[in-house]
Amino acid sequence: MKGKIGRILAVVAAGSLLAVSTSGIAAASPAGGKGSSSTEAVAAQVLQLRDDLTKVAYAGNVGMTRDDLQQLSPVLRDLASGKRYQVQSETQQLSSAAKVRADESNRLLADPTATPQQLPPLPLPPIPDLPGPLKVVSDLLKAVLGAVTGILGGLLGSVPVPPLPVPTPAT
């Protein structure tokens, strides 16, 4: 008798533990998406990388901009492949487009005499032009920042995406 009660309690405890652990994963899934807690973690990483890139780019720091683009590129590649993170196909396509523009920006910053590659335009939110030393890649970087903001929208689902930390232009 005691053995049956013990087994029943063990089954109930194991079931409760399983229910609690899987509900955390379900709660982390963005609305309308097929994400998980790893998708939520990559969203936080992409947000941090986007904000860091914005701050150094608008400060006109070419070296730090290149470093941030190099950190962002592998994350965008992982999102574009759809293998490591479960994201919607629109987010994968936007990640691929952003990675191409990030890599092209990095290439042009490494060799300012290089001929820019012609890329199709991306629909962009209004983002002010970058300062002097980064003027040559202003449109590319604005496309990267706009695309990464769109990617964040796909990763976060119904959670609002924080705005870009762009300094207000002096008038």
Side-chain angles (χ1 to χ4, degrees):
M1 181 74 160
K2 288 182 183 179
K4 284 184 181 181
I5 293 173
R7 276 185 245 138
I8 291 171
L9 288 175
V11 168
V12 169
S16 297
L17 181 62
L18 183 61
V20 168
S21 65
T22 56
S23 70
I25 292 171
S29 178
K34 45 182 190 168
S36 65
S37 58
S38 67
T39 304
E40 193 173 77
V42 79
Q45 181 183 11
V46 169
L47 177 62
Q48 184 65 47
L49 289 168
R50 181 201 72 166
D51 289 353
D52 290 347
L53 176 61
T54 303
K55 289 173 186 171
V56 297
Y58 280 95
N61 188 329
V62 175
M64 291 292 290
T65 299
R66 286 187 61 216
D67 292 345
D68 285 351
L69 285 168
Q70 287 174 343
Q71 290 178 20
L72 183 61
S73 194
V75 177
L76 293 173
R77 181 190 63 235
D78 288 346
L79 288 168
S81 74
K83 294 178 183 172
R84 186 169 178 187
Y85 304 105
Q86 296 180 355
V87 295
Q88 301 293 334
S89 62
E90 298 85 23
T91 303
Q92 285 178 337
Q93 292 167 355
L94 196 52
S95 299
S96 180
K99 183 186 180 316
V100 168
R101 282 155 181 80
D103 291 346
E104 177 67 2
S105 297
N106 210 2
R107 183 181 75 83
L108 293 172
L109 289 173
D111 181 12
T113 62
T115 304
Q117 184 181 5
Q118 186 65 38
L119 297 171
L122 285 179
L124 292 176
I127 300 173
D129 287 337
L130 290 156
L134 294 169
K135 197 77 157 163
V136 69
V137 292
S138 184
D139 288 342
L140 284 169
L141 278 176
K142 288 184 339 182
V144 170
L145 293 172
V148 169
T149 300
I151 292 165
L152 283 167
L155 291 172
L156 296 174
S158 62
V159 177
V161 177
L164 277 171
V166 176
T168 53
T171 55

